[in-house]
Amino acid sequence: VMLLLLAFKPTLHLFVEQLQRKELLAIILFVVMSALVIPFLPEFNFGPYSLWNLAEIWKMVVLVSGTSLVGYMIAKFMGNRGTLLAGVVGGLVSSTSVALTYSRKSADNGSGNISFYYAMGVISACTIMFPRVLFEVYVVNYQLALQLWFPILLISIAGFGSASLIYKFHKGDSGTNGITLKNPLDLATAIKFALLYAAVQWLVKYSSEQFGESGTYIAGAISGITDVDAITLSMAKMANAGGDSFIAVNTILIATLSNTLVKFLIVIAFGSAVLKKTVFWGFLAMFLTGLSYFLIYSVF
């Protein structure tokens, strides 16, 4: 390891020189969160239904924070490489931020041609959320990921296919990028996600106990409005502990579709008329693909 570090010393120096102080602190914080905090957290369950385990909750925090941090670093060092790629990379950090940023830019710009490229970026950012969800499930529950990959693939094809069609028919202007992404890692954000994850665990369990399968689906739809990571990891852990994988897959799909609908509403609220018309078909393709699979999967 030391030999490799010495061999890449010039590259590492260049990497560190491009980091701002807050980004360097974020990396240090991630190391502390993952390597130093987890070993000291208790492993026993407590709380209602004996649901909560501090060590497991914090591991989920580390997983989501690490994924977002990697996406943020990729976005930082790749720079502006086109609206499509900027949307994909930005979506790894926060597809909601990309949707909001491009919507506002399209409204301010007023150029129809540029709005087409903003639409392409929004669709790409919202689509990459689905492979990200699959990655999180794969890390926590490999068996559940094997059941989830096909609908994720279909929805991703629908989303990226829509973005590609926009590019094909409106190719010309390279578009403008300028996505401003907030550093995804700080202690307050990590603690908020830990609390959210614990709350979603309780909501899913309570809804399941009170209303059965339909209650779990309702909990998934509600959770997906604000954050899809918490419900995804909660269902993956539930299935890993012996829960119904069928319900887990359906709940994750419902949460992702709920989250997708929220981002479409963001575009409707803040985007230009051209952006709204263009993204409509992309969002419709993703939503109908996911909904169709959910209905077929539920029946058969």
Side-chain angles (χ1 to χ4, degrees):
V1 171
M2 290 302 299
L3 181 62
L4 287 172
L5 289 175
L6 289 172
F8 287 99
K9 185 177 179 181
T11 304
L12 292 174
H13 274 293
L14 182 63
F15 172 76
V16 173
E17 286 172 1
Q18 295 184 56
L19 292 177
Q20 298 179 11
R21 177 178 173 81
K22 64 177 183 178
E23 295 162 349
L24 187 59
L25 291 176
I27 294 174
I28 294 172
L29 176 61
F30 179 74
V31 173
V32 172
M33 287 169 53
S34 54
L36 299 182
V37 174
I38 291 178
F40 294 97
L41 292 175
E43 292 277 359
F44 60 84
N45 289 19
F46 67 97
Y49 306 107
S50 293
L51 272 178
W52 298 326
N53 182 303
L54 288 180
E56 289 186 357
I57 290 174
W58 199 252
K59 287 176 184 177
M60 299 303 104
V61 173
V62 170
L63 172 60
V64 173
S65 299
T67 304
S68 297
L69 184 61
V70 169
Y72 177 86
M73 289 301 173
I74 292 174
K76 177 180 176 64
F77 288 98
M78 289 186 68
N80 293 330
R81 301 290 181 86
T83 310
L84 177 63
L85 186 57
V88 170
V89 176
L92 290 173
V93 185
S94 173
S95 53
T96 303
S97 295
V98 176
L100 181 59
T101 299
Y102 277 164
S103 295
R104 285 175 171 169
K105 283 180 176 292
S106 71
D108 294 339
N109 189 276
S111 170
N113 194 46
I114 293 298
S115 289
F116 287 125
Y117 283 90
Y118 287 141
M120 184 172 60
V122 169
I123 294 297
S124 301
C126 295
T127 303
I128 201 65
M129 175 193 71
F130 292 92
R132 172 180 166 140
V133 163
L134 182 62
F135 169 73
E136 292 175 350
V137 172
Y138 177 84
V139 172
V140 176
N141 188 338
Y142 170 74
Q143 293 299 324
L144 188 65
L146 293 179
Q147 300 179 50
L148 192 61
W149 75 268
F150 187 61
I152 292 295
L153 176 64
L154 292 178
I155 298 171
S156 298
I157 290 174
F160 286 127
S162 300
S164 299
L165 286 175
I166 296 172
Y167 178 77
K168 179 180 179 181
F169 290 109
H170 301 284
K171 186 175 181 180
D173 187 350
S174 61
T176 54
N177 306 306
I179 303 176
T180 303
L181 295 173
K182 179 184 176 183
N183 191 325
L185 194 62
D186 60 67
L187 189 58
T189 301
I191 293 174
K192 287 178 184 177
F193 181 79
L195 294 174
L196 176 63
Y197 177 71
V200 168
Q201 279 188 305
W202 174 83
L203 178 62
V204 169
K205 184 66 176 179
Y206 176 80
S207 301
S208 176
E209 291 283 336
Q210 297 295 319
F211 308 107
E213 182 178 323
S214 59
T216 305
Y217 294 161
I218 293 172
I222 294 172
S223 301
I225 292 174
T226 56
D227 182 270
V228 76
D229 294 320
I231 186 66
T232 295
L233 295 171
S234 179
M235 297 312 299
K237 291 292 293 183
M238 183 203 76
N240 206 24
D244 193 330
S245 60
F246 171 82
I247 294 177
V249 169
N250 277 344
T251 303
I252 291 172
L253 285 177
I254 289 173
T256 54
L257 293 177
S258 172
N259 193 265
T260 300
L261 181 60
V262 167
K263 281 173 279 198
F264 176 66
L265 293 176
I266 288 174
V267 175
I268 294 299
F270 298 100
S272 66
V274 175
L275 184 71
K276 295 172 187 177
K277 293 177 183 178
T278 308
V279 300
F280 172 78
W281 299 108
F283 276 108
L284 183 65
M286 287 190 290
F287 195 85
L288 288 182
T289 301
L291 183 61
S292 299
Y293 184 89
F294 170 77
L295 294 175
I296 295 172
Y297 185 67
S298 298
V299 173
F300 297 103

